[in-house]
Amino acid sequence: MYTPRPFVVDDFKEIKSFVAKYPSITLVTVGKDSIPFATLLPSVWEANDLSAENFGEIITHMSKGNPQWREIAQGDVGLAIVQGPQAYVSPTNYENKETDHKVVPTWNYQTVHFTGTLEVIEDPKRINKIVSELTDFHEQQRKRPWATSEAEPTYMTNQLNSIVGIVMKVTKVEAKYKLSQNRSLQDQEAVMWDLAKSPLSDEREISDEMKRNLGRS
């Protein structure tokens, strides 16, 4: 991922928080025909002891009806993209728009890219474990969390037989927050307050992230 220095995020605690907030990936792989294939999937990043040598694993599952998994050989390299909020930035926010007019629109966003080797899981017990972990993660904030053990056994078995598990052993983590950090403080604040008034939730989220980055209340 192209990431100019002002936009680099290398704080693992921050990255883990971001990925937990947006717990899905777009899994990109390249098949035998050299054509890329991408699928959005629910996911959990299992990364308890992050270090430069250990980036953990991403677990997810995919329908057997999706041809992508059949093109994944064990050990193939894939790209998993976690996409956060994004926003159009108008040049009307920049202080030099009325002086030298050297302004153009841009796009602010937050994203994390994972690169790693892939394993396709067809063993029912391992698939059940993956599905249970994904479910527990997404149910944890509910007052009465649902668990896979509550599903009718035969129905659950049939559902598990219709999917495969996918595990990515992560070898590289890249995080990018493009929040106008390359502009003057005045420009950043102007963009922040402009996006705060947007009817679009993504743009308001970017405003909140810019506010956090600038230490504004």
Side-chain angles (χ1 to χ4, degrees):
M1 176 168 58
Y2 172 60
T3 312
R5 187 62 216 172
F7 310 138
V8 171
V9 180
D10 51 18
D11 180 342
F12 280 140
K13 183 178 179 181
E14 172 65 29
I15 297 171
K16 285 184 69 175
S17 177
F18 176 85
V19 173
K21 186 177 179 181
Y22 302 100
S24 68
I25 59 171
T26 297
L27 179 64
V28 183
T29 57
V30 178
K32 299 178 183 67
D33 54 7
S34 299
I35 297 175
F37 204 118
T39 304
L40 192 148
L41 302 165
S43 65
V44 170
W45 181 21
E46 296 186 330
N48 296 324
D49 300 309
L50 281 173
S51 68
E53 293 78 32
N54 178 23
F55 296 123
E57 295 180 337
I58 292 176
I59 62 168
T60 185
H61 63 76
M62 180 181 291
S63 168
K64 283 185 177 177
N66 186 335
Q68 184 178 9
W69 73 273
R70 297 185 183 277
E71 294 289 313
I72 301 173
Q74 306 293 22
D76 276 359
V77 175
L79 174 68
I81 301 171
V82 178
Q83 186 61 57
Q86 50 190 297
Y88 170 79
V89 177
S90 170
T92 59
N93 290 294
Y94 300 150
E95 57 184 324
N96 60 324
K97 67 181 182 296
E98 301 295 346
T99 53
D100 60 22
H101 304 284
K102 293 179 180 179
V103 293
V104 291
T106 191
W107 203 259
N108 278 0
Y109 57 90
Q110 295 176 295
T111 189
V112 173
H113 287 195
F114 295 99
T115 302
T117 55
L118 300 172
E119 179 185 7
V120 176
I121 310 297
E122 295 186 75
D123 175 68
K125 290 184 178 179
R126 291 187 66 189
I127 295 173
N128 184 48
K129 183 174 184 294
I130 288 171
V131 171
S132 296
E133 289 179 9
L134 284 165
T135 302
D136 291 346
F137 176 82
H138 289 281
E139 289 279 338
Q140 63 184 328
Q141 300 300 328
R142 292 180 175 272
K143 291 182 179 179
R144 296 181 60 187
W146 183 87
T148 55
S149 59
E150 298 179 50
E152 195 277 325
T154 302
Y155 175 80
M156 187 65 182
T157 297
N158 290 337
Q159 293 297 302
L160 292 174
N161 287 337
S162 70
I163 63 175
V164 295
I166 296 178
V167 175
M168 172 185 279
K169 182 175 177 55
V170 181
T171 57
K172 187 177 184 180
V173 181
E174 301 170 286
K176 181 177 183 178
Y177 289 3
K178 185 173 179 294
L179 302 172
S180 300
Q181 301 98 314
N182 58 329
R183 304 294 306 191
S184 68
L185 179 59
Q186 180 176 329
D187 284 355
Q188 290 183 62
E189 292 192 330
V191 171
M192 178 184 73
W193 293 119
D194 185 35
L195 295 177
K197 298 178 292 185
S198 172
L200 302 177
S201 60
D202 259 26
E203 296 194 344
R204 295 194 302 272
E205 278 194 63
I206 288 292
S207 174
D208 289 341
E209 287 300 310
M210 293 182 70
K211 193 179 297 184
R212 183 168 72 98
N213 186 62
L214 291 170
R216 301 294 187 263
S217 59

